[in-house]
Amino acid sequence: QVQLVESGGGLVQAGGSLRLSCAASGSIFIIISINAMGWYRQAPGKQRELVAVITHGGSTNYADSVKGRFTISRDNAKKTVYLQMNSLKPEDTAVYYCNAAKGDLLQGPYWGQGTQVTVSS
């Protein structure tokens, strides 16, 4: 099994910044097979949506709504993925979830517990 633990959420005013972290731990056999790690978010009454994803090699993909404001990065040695969020808007308010996938998949079965991000206007 793999455990993903997120941290860094909180309350921030519009225009502010937050940095989320997600650390992976658990079965070494699964950990070493993880390729893509990503961030998803779910606002009240809405479906969970992709925010950003990064492969082991560093290729990235972003939702159009966050391009130019959010940056995803990872430290493979620390098995940790980060999401730097700048110029936050009230519509970014959501629970943010970390995800990990094996092989060629960009989304996998491993999810963190979620961290709340609230942006006040």
Side-chain angles (χ1 to χ4, degrees):
Q1 286 295 332
V2 172
Q3 291 79 44
L4 301 175
V5 179
E6 301 107 332
S7 60
L11 173 64
V12 65
Q13 289 187 331
S17 299
L18 283 174
R19 188 192 194 208
L20 305 183
S21 300
C22 171
S25 63
S27 167
I28 187 63
F29 299 106
I30 298 177
I31 292 289
I32 61 175
S33 68
I34 287 176
N35 180 16
M37 295 187 74
W39 289 95
Y40 293 74
R41 67 187 182 188
Q42 188 167 18
K46 294 187 177 181
Q47 289 188 330
R48 191 173 297 187
E49 62 177 3
L50 170 71
V51 176
V53 64
I54 184 169
T55 66
H56 190 276
S59 297
T60 58
N61 188 32
Y62 294 91
D64 287 342
S65 59
V66 306
K67 284 181 180 177
R69 301 188 298 122
F70 292 9
T71 302
I72 190 169
S73 61
R74 65 190 285 171
D75 184 329
N76 290 327
K78 295 182 178 180
K79 301 179 285 295
T80 299
V81 64
Y82 306 95
L83 185 68
Q84 178 66 44
M85 304 184 293
N86 298 328
S87 301
L88 282 161
K89 304 175 181 179
E91 50 264 44
D92 295 318
T93 296
V95 178
Y96 284 69
Y97 297 91
C98 179
N99 179 268
K102 299 189 293 183
D104 295 331
L105 298 175
L106 291 181
Q107 183 186 102
Y110 308 108
W111 292 94
Q113 82 286 355
T115 185
Q116 177 71 46
V117 171
T118 303
V119 184
S120 63
S121 57

PDB file of all heavy atoms in Angstrom, residues 39-54:
ATOM      1  N   TRP A  39      -2.137  16.804  -8.445  1.00  0.00           N
ATOM      2  CA  TRP A  39      -3.042  17.473  -7.520  1.00  0.00           C
ATOM      3  C   TRP A  39      -4.406  17.623  -8.188  1.00  0.00           C
ATOM      4  O   TRP A  39      -4.484  18.022  -9.359  1.00  0.00           O
ATOM      5  CB  TRP A  39      -2.508  18.850  -7.136  1.00  0.00           C
ATOM      6  CG  TRP A  39      -1.305  18.793  -6.256  1.00  0.00           C
ATOM      7  CD1 TRP A  39       0.003  18.847  -6.640  1.00  0.00           C
ATOM      8  CD2 TRP A  39      -1.302  18.649  -4.836  1.00  0.00           C
ATOM      9  NE1 TRP A  39       0.826  18.751  -5.547  1.00  0.00           N
ATOM     10  CE2 TRP A  39       0.047  18.627  -4.426  1.00  0.00           C
ATOM     11  CE3 TRP A  39      -2.297  18.544  -3.863  1.00  0.00           C
ATOM     12  CZ2 TRP A  39       0.424  18.506  -3.085  1.00  0.00           C
ATOM     13  CZ3 TRP A  39      -1.921  18.422  -2.539  1.00  0.00           C
ATOM     14  CH2 TRP A  39      -0.582  18.402  -2.150  1.00  0.00           C
ATOM     15  N   TYR A  40      -5.440  17.304  -7.431  1.00  0.00           N
ATOM     16  CA  TYR A  40      -6.812  17.470  -7.848  1.00  0.00           C
ATOM     17  C   TYR A  40      -7.526  18.293  -6.784  1.00  0.00           C
ATOM     18  O   TYR A  40      -7.052  18.407  -5.657  1.00  0.00           O
ATOM     19  CB  TYR A  40      -7.489  16.100  -8.008  1.00  0.00           C
ATOM     20  CG  TYR A  40      -6.923  15.282  -9.137  1.00  0.00           C
ATOM     21  CD1 TYR A  40      -5.672  14.680  -9.026  1.00  0.00           C
ATOM     22  CD2 TYR A  40      -7.630  15.118 -10.322  1.00  0.00           C
ATOM     23  CE1 TYR A  40      -5.136  13.948 -10.077  1.00  0.00           C
ATOM     24  CE2 TYR A  40      -7.110  14.382 -11.374  1.00  0.00           C
ATOM     25  CZ  TYR A  40      -5.862  13.800 -11.243  1.00  0.00           C
ATOM     26  OH  TYR A  40      -5.336  13.077 -12.281  1.00  0.00           O
ATOM     27  N   ARG A  41      -8.656  18.882  -7.152  1.00  0.00           N
ATOM     28  CA  ARG A  41      -9.415  19.640  -6.169  1.00  0.00           C
ATOM     29  C   ARG A  41     -10.901  19.406  -6.357  1.00  0.00           C
ATOM     30  O   ARG A  41     -11.366  19.094  -7.453  1.00  0.00           O
ATOM     31  CB  ARG A  41      -9.091  21.125  -6.247  1.00  0.00           C
ATOM     32  CG  ARG A  41      -9.536  21.807  -7.536  1.00  0.00           C
ATOM     33  CD  ARG A  41      -9.016  23.242  -7.569  1.00  0.00           C
ATOM     34  NE  ARG A  41      -9.457  23.952  -8.768  1.00  0.00           N
ATOM     35  CZ  ARG A  41      -9.028  25.163  -9.116  1.00  0.00           C
ATOM     36  NH1 ARG A  41      -8.159  25.818  -8.329  1.00  0.00           N
ATOM     37  NH2 ARG A  41      -9.475  25.738 -10.214  1.00  0.00           N
ATOM     38  N   GLN A  42     -11.617  19.569  -5.257  1.00  0.00           N
ATOM     39  CA  GLN A  42     -13.070  19.410  -5.284  1.00  0.00           C
ATOM     40  C   GLN A  42     -13.703  20.500  -4.446  1.00  0.00           C
ATOM     41  O   GLN A  42     -13.479  20.576  -3.228  1.00  0.00           O
ATOM     42  CB  GLN A  42     -13.483  18.030  -4.774  1.00  0.00           C
ATOM     43  CG  GLN A  42     -14.949  17.734  -4.955  1.00  0.00           C
ATOM     44  CD  GLN A  42     -15.283  16.274  -4.743  1.00  0.00           C
ATOM     45  OE1 GLN A  42     -14.512  15.514  -4.143  1.00  0.00           O
ATOM     46  NE2 GLN A  42     -16.424  15.842  -5.238  1.00  0.00           N
ATOM     47  N   ALA A  43     -14.476  21.335  -5.107  1.00  0.00           N
ATOM     48  CA  ALA A  43     -15.219  22.391  -4.428  1.00  0.00           C
ATOM     49  C   ALA A  43     -16.593  21.863  -4.058  1.00  0.00           C
ATOM     50  O   ALA A  43     -17.084  20.906  -4.671  1.00  0.00           O
ATOM     51  CB  ALA A  43     -15.334  23.608  -5.339  1.00  0.00           C
ATOM     52  N   PRO A  44     -17.250  22.468  -3.072  1.00  0.00           N
ATOM     53  CA  PRO A  44     -18.585  22.001  -2.662  1.00  0.00           C
ATOM     54  C   PRO A  44     -19.559  21.968  -3.836  1.00  0.00           C
ATOM     55  O   PRO A  44     -19.662  22.944  -4.590  1.00  0.00           O
ATOM     56  CB  PRO A  44     -19.007  23.036  -1.623  1.00  0.00           C
ATOM     57  CG  PRO A  44     -17.721  23.558  -1.071  1.00  0.00           C
ATOM     58  CD  PRO A  44     -16.767  23.563  -2.234  1.00  0.00           C
ATOM     59  N   GLY A  45     -20.226  20.838  -4.010  1.00  0.00           N
ATOM     60  CA  GLY A  45     -21.210  20.697  -5.061  1.00  0.00           C
ATOM     61  C   GLY A  45     -20.647  20.481  -6.442  1.00  0.00           C
ATOM     62  O   GLY A  45     -21.400  20.436  -7.432  1.00  0.00           O
ATOM     63  N   LYS A  46     -19.328  20.328  -6.551  1.00  0.00           N
ATOM     64  CA  LYS A  46     -18.704  20.139  -7.854  1.00  0.00           C
ATOM     65  C   LYS A  46     -17.923  18.831  -7.888  1.00  0.00           C
ATOM     66  O   LYS A  46     -17.589  18.256  -6.857  1.00  0.00           O
ATOM     67  CB  LYS A  46     -17.776  21.301  -8.176  1.00  0.00           C
ATOM     68  CG  LYS A  46     -18.489  22.634  -8.353  1.00  0.00           C
ATOM     69  CD  LYS A  46     -17.534  23.702  -8.838  1.00  0.00           C
ATOM     70  CE  LYS A  46     -18.251  25.011  -9.093  1.00  0.00           C
ATOM     71  NZ  LYS A  46     -17.329  26.076  -9.595  1.00  0.00           N
ATOM     72  N   GLN A  47     -17.634  18.380  -9.100  1.00  0.00           N
ATOM     73  CA  GLN A  47     -16.850  17.169  -9.270  1.00  0.00           C
ATOM     74  C   GLN A  47     -15.366  17.453  -9.017  1.00  0.00           C
ATOM     75  O   GLN A  47     -14.907  18.584  -9.180  1.00  0.00           O
ATOM     76  CB  GLN A  47     -17.044  16.616 -10.683  1.00  0.00           C
ATOM     77  CG  GLN A  47     -18.414  16.013 -10.942  1.00  0.00           C
ATOM     78  CD  GLN A  47     -18.495  15.311 -12.289  1.00  0.00           C
ATOM     79  OE1 GLN A  47     -17.816  15.677 -13.235  1.00  0.00           O
ATOM     80  NE2 GLN A  47     -19.313  14.280 -12.358  1.00  0.00           N
ATOM     81  N   ARG A  48     -14.672  16.406  -8.657  1.00  0.00           N
ATOM     82  CA  ARG A  48     -13.227  16.540  -8.491  1.00  0.00           C
ATOM     83  C   ARG A  48     -12.601  16.787  -9.858  1.00  0.00           C
ATOM     84  O   ARG A  48     -12.968  16.151 -10.841  1.00  0.00           O
ATOM     85  CB  ARG A  48     -12.650  15.267  -7.859  1.00  0.00           C
ATOM     86  CG  ARG A  48     -11.217  15.396  -7.400  1.00  0.00           C
ATOM     87  CD  ARG A  48     -10.779  14.158  -6.623  1.00  0.00           C
ATOM     88  NE  ARG A  48     -11.550  13.989  -5.393  1.00  0.00           N
ATOM     89  CZ  ARG A  48     -11.269  13.069  -4.471  1.00  0.00           C
ATOM     90  NH1 ARG A  48     -10.222  12.262  -4.634  1.00  0.00           N
ATOM     91  NH2 ARG A  48     -12.009  12.967  -3.399  1.00  0.00           N
ATOM     92  N   GLU A  49     -11.637  17.712  -9.906  1.00  0.00           N
ATOM     93  CA  GLU A  49     -11.025  18.067 -11.175  1.00  0.00           C
ATOM     94  C   GLU A  49      -9.499  18.106 -11.046  1.00  0.00           C
ATOM     95  O   GLU A  49      -8.955  18.358  -9.971  1.00  0.00           O
ATOM     96  CB  GLU A  49     -11.508  19.438 -11.656  1.00  0.00           C
ATOM     97  CG  GLU A  49     -11.152  20.594 -10.735  1.00  0.00           C
ATOM     98  CD  GLU A  49     -11.582  21.953 -11.259  1.00  0.00           C
ATOM     99  OE1 GLU A  49     -12.210  22.026 -12.324  1.00  0.00           O
ATOM    100  OE2 GLU A  49     -11.273  22.963 -10.594  1.00  0.00           O
ATOM    101  N   LEU A  50      -8.856  17.859 -12.183  1.00  0.00           N
ATOM    102  CA  LEU A  50      -7.399  17.926 -12.233  1.00  0.00           C
ATOM    103  C   LEU A  50      -6.937  19.375 -12.076  1.00  0.00           C
ATOM    104  O   LEU A  50      -7.495  20.286 -12.688  1.00  0.00           O
ATOM    105  CB  LEU A  50      -6.887  17.373 -13.560  1.00  0.00           C
ATOM    106  CG  LEU A  50      -5.406  17.597 -13.864  1.00  0.00           C
ATOM    107  CD1 LEU A  50      -4.549  16.729 -12.962  1.00  0.00           C
ATOM    108  CD2 LEU A  50      -5.110  17.324 -15.330  1.00  0.00           C
ATOM    109  N   VAL A  51      -5.902  19.572 -11.248  1.00  0.00           N
ATOM    110  CA  VAL A  51      -5.255  20.866 -11.139  1.00  0.00           C
ATOM    111  C   VAL A  51      -3.934  20.827 -11.911  1.00  0.00           C
ATOM    112  O   VAL A  51      -3.681  21.659 -12.774  1.00  0.00           O
ATOM    113  CB  VAL A  51      -4.994  21.237  -9.668  1.00  0.00           C
ATOM    114  CG1 VAL A  51      -4.233  22.556  -9.577  1.00  0.00           C
ATOM    115  CG2 VAL A  51      -6.309  21.308  -8.901  1.00  0.00           C
ATOM    116  N   ALA A  52      -3.083  19.859 -11.565  1.00  0.00           N
ATOM    117  CA  ALA A  52      -1.785  19.739 -12.223  1.00  0.00           C
ATOM    118  C   ALA A  52      -1.233  18.346 -11.985  1.00  0.00           C
ATOM    119  O   ALA A  52      -1.542  17.716 -10.969  1.00  0.00           O
ATOM    120  CB  ALA A  52      -0.801  20.780 -11.701  1.00  0.00           C
ATOM    121  N   VAL A  53      -0.424  17.871 -12.917  1.00  0.00           N
ATOM    122  CA  VAL A  53       0.199  16.560 -12.792  1.00  0.00           C
ATOM    123  C   VAL A  53       1.628  16.652 -13.309  1.00  0.00           C
ATOM    124  O   VAL A  53       1.921  17.438 -14.216  1.00  0.00           O
ATOM    125  CB  VAL A  53      -0.602  15.470 -13.544  1.00  0.00           C
ATOM    126  CG1 VAL A  53      -0.620  15.752 -15.043  1.00  0.00           C
ATOM    127  CG2 VAL A  53      -0.068  14.085 -13.248  1.00  0.00           C
ATOM    128  N   ILE A  54       2.521  15.854 -12.707  1.00  0.00           N
ATOM    129  CA  ILE A  54       3.922  15.842 -13.111  1.00  0.00           C
ATOM    130  C   ILE A  54       4.410  14.401 -13.140  1.00  0.00           C
ATOM    131  O   ILE A  54       4.106  13.612 -12.243  1.00  0.00           O
ATOM    132  CB  ILE A  54       4.786  16.706 -12.157  1.00  0.00           C
ATOM    133  CG1 ILE A  54       6.230  16.771 -12.637  1.00  0.00           C
ATOM    134  CG2 ILE A  54       4.694  16.209 -10.716  1.00  0.00           C
ATOM    135  CD1 ILE A  54       7.060  17.825 -11.895  1.00  0.00           C
TER     136      ILE A  54
END
